[in-house]
Amino acid sequence: MKILEPILAWREEIAALRRDIHAHPELAFEEFRTADLVAQRLQEWGIEVDRGLGGTGVVGIIKGKQAGPRAVGLRADLDALPMQEINTFAHASQHAGKMHACGHDGHTAMLLGAARYLSQHRDFAGTVYVIFQPAEEGGGGAKRMVDDGLFTRFPMDAVFGMHNWPGMRAGQFGVTPGPIMASSNEFIIRITGKGTHAGMPHLGVDPVMTAVQLAQSLQTIITRNRAPLEAAVLSITQIHTGSADNVVPNDAVMRGTVRTFTHETLDLIERRMEEISRHTCAAMNCDLEFEFTRNYPPTINHVAETAFAVGVMRDIVGADNVFDQVTPTMGAEDFAFMLQAKPGCYVWIGNGSGDHRDAGHGAGPCMLHNGSYDFNDELIPLGATYWSQLALKWLAQPA
């Protein structure tokens, strides 16, 4: 493994920053302390800082000693999750109901390590933009930054992202060209009938039976309308109706999510969901309100940029530790918005199985969005080296 020596020398200092961020988690668009810390460190290292994109976003501008036409963006996320941490080690969350359970504290630390290295080794031509993005966890902070002019104010040829991946051994990377994470979409189906006494159902219109029939029918979209080789998940996660045993209620509400890897499959599912819902409710004499919200598009890696990232990873950890055809996940990631606007690649860096956690960790697994999770500080030198080498090699290419 080829870790850059200066980054190794800073490993304890950068890890301390990571643990400080972990102890002070902030939710989407509330990352004021975290953004202040990031901006302060960047400025201490002689890096020009721009703030405010996406609300609490921070962009560091690192120019090489030689002018050059090329520019590249490296992105990390800042926000925590609205959940309770059950770890009790020294750097556990100090804010009830808030936790860095997805490793964004570690992502920020790895990119800070790379920014420090690049600021001190400017023998390159071009510009590196280090992008610290707010509100990845459901807030669409990437879209907010793009809409605020990220790529017009800071023109770049490509943008790259990285996420820690529990279960993959520390020292390994995973990536695939094309879709690597799914789109994330939500639906709300409101069914209105006519309430009545449960002993006299013929006097009303039953929204409960309508919801039951509709729940079954919607699954036929996956089994009978979707092409079998097109991955998709339609999950009804909530059905709310009624308040008494002897009352047929007036209405029922169904909620859930849809996840796909292609826009075409998503278009099909949304269209068929509305058609089936409308006709089922009509057949049962119920009224319908149908809402379908597209949150995050699929995260789709560009082929050339993925091949480039694979080459950088192999140079650092060896070909045996780079998995370049990983199975995509149905999880979602708003870095997808950046990849819609610019070519680039999103990779996974192994976080291990949880053995790295300090005494006092929770009894649960070290998995993303789990109250026992903690980022593996062993990754900081490796992740910072990857970011640094990726940027330097990208800028060294012919224009």
Side-chain angles (χ1 to χ4, degrees):
M1 190 178 297
K2 303 173 184 176
I3 304 298
L4 294 168
E5 287 297 330
I7 292 176
L8 275 177
W10 307 325
R11 61 186 304 168
E12 296 301 326
E13 181 182 347
I14 302 297
L17 284 176
R18 197 283 296 182
R19 294 185 173 213
D20 179 72
I21 295 170
H22 188 96
H24 301 89
E26 296 172 303
L27 303 183
F29 299 118
E30 299 174 0
E31 309 94 332
F32 303 108
R33 182 186 186 276
T34 309
D36 286 344
L37 184 153
V38 167
Q40 180 183 353
R41 289 298 186 275
L42 294 177
Q43 289 167 339
E44 287 175 1
W45 299 329
I47 298 171
E48 180 185 349
V49 171
D50 188 281
R51 301 188 62 173
L53 264 75
T56 47
V58 179
V59 178
I61 303 117
I62 309 171
K63 293 186 179 295
K65 291 180 180 178
Q66 305 129 43
R70 299 188 70 88
V72 64
L74 313 175
R75 172 270 200 176
D77 31 22
L78 299 171
D79 58 321
L81 282 155
M83 59 180 286
Q84 185 64 37
E85 181 160 4
I86 60 176
N87 299 314
T88 59
F89 42 56
H91 61 281
S93 173
Q94 297 180 16
H95 305 306
K98 300 177 184 180
M99 179 189 175
H100 271 292
C102 204
H104 297 184
D105 51 340
H107 303 165
T108 297
M110 291 188 292
L111 190 52
L112 281 173
R116 184 175 182 179
Y117 179 85
L118 292 167
S119 72
Q120 296 182 10
H121 298 80
R122 297 188 187 235
D123 292 325
F124 58 86
T127 305
V128 182
Y129 297 109
V130 287
I131 305 163
F132 296 88
Q133 176 214 303
E136 188 280 324
E137 296 291 355
K143 186 176 188 301
R144 282 277 298 273
M145 291 191 85
V146 172
D147 290 345
D148 282 355
L150 174 65
F151 296 128
T152 54
R153 292 179 57 187
F154 309 104
M156 58 192 78
D157 304 302
V159 64
F160 294 85
M162 177 164 56
H163 202 294
N164 78 96
W165 207 248
M168 182 182 292
R169 184 170 60 81
Q172 295 180 330
F173 288 92
V175 69
T176 192
I180 188 169
M181 300 189 79
S183 64
S184 173
N185 316 277
E186 300 173 357
F187 62 84
I188 305 175
I189 299 171
R190 296 183 176 90
I191 303 167
T192 302
K194 179 181 177 183
T196 186
H197 193 291
M200 294 173 277
H202 61 292
L203 300 179
V205 177
D206 191 346
V208 179
M209 292 306 298
T210 305
V212 170
Q213 182 165 323
L214 182 55
Q216 297 284 350
S217 298
L218 290 177
Q219 293 305 317
T220 65
I221 301 171
I222 302 299
T223 61
R224 290 297 178 265
N225 298 143
R226 172 193 60 97
L229 297 181
E230 286 289 335
V233 177
L234 190 166
S235 295
I236 299 168
T237 56
Q238 302 179 57
I239 300 179
H240 299 284
T241 186
S243 59
D245 293 343
N246 60 347
V247 175
V248 174
N250 283 307
D251 49 43
V253 177
M254 304 169 62
R255 304 176 70 111
T257 65
V258 173
R259 295 172 184 266
T260 71
F261 288 131
T262 69
H263 300 293
E264 293 77 14
T265 299
L266 181 59
D267 290 341
L268 166 71
I269 293 174
E270 180 180 358
R271 175 176 58 79
R272 288 296 292 141
M273 284 186 70
E274 183 167 11
E275 290 173 351
I276 291 171
S277 298
R278 202 161 296 285
H279 289 301
T280 300
C281 286
M284 303 291 280
N285 292 322
C286 286
D287 294 325
L288 169 74
E289 291 181 34
F290 180 85
E291 296 181 22
F292 196 97
T293 303
R294 300 191 179 200
N295 293 328
Y296 292 176
T299 304
I300 301 175
N301 283 333
H302 296 248
V303 174
E305 286 69 27
T306 300
F308 185 88
V310 166
V312 174
M313 292 183 286
R314 285 175 174 169
D315 286 345
I316 298 170
V317 298
D320 291 344
N321 289 310
V322 178
F323 304 99
D324 58 1
Q325 293 288 337
V326 296
T327 301
T329 175
M330 281 294 176
E333 165 56 82
D334 77 340
F335 186 66
F337 289 109
M338 294 191 183
L339 290 179
Q340 283 187 327
K342 287 287 177 179
C345 177
Y346 183 80
V347 308
W348 297 336
I349 182 171
N351 196 61
S353 59
D355 296 341
H356 62 275
R357 292 176 292 177
D358 287 356
H361 67 75
C366 189
M367 299 300 292
L368 302 178
H369 294 215
N370 186 284
S372 297
Y373 171 87
D374 192 29
F375 182 83
N376 188 346
D377 287 335
E378 293 180 14
L379 308 188
I380 294 175
L382 175 58
T385 295
Y386 166 70
W387 279 139
S388 301
Q389 296 287 52
L390 180 75
L392 293 172
K393 292 181 178 183
W394 182 268
L395 295 178
Q397 297 177 105

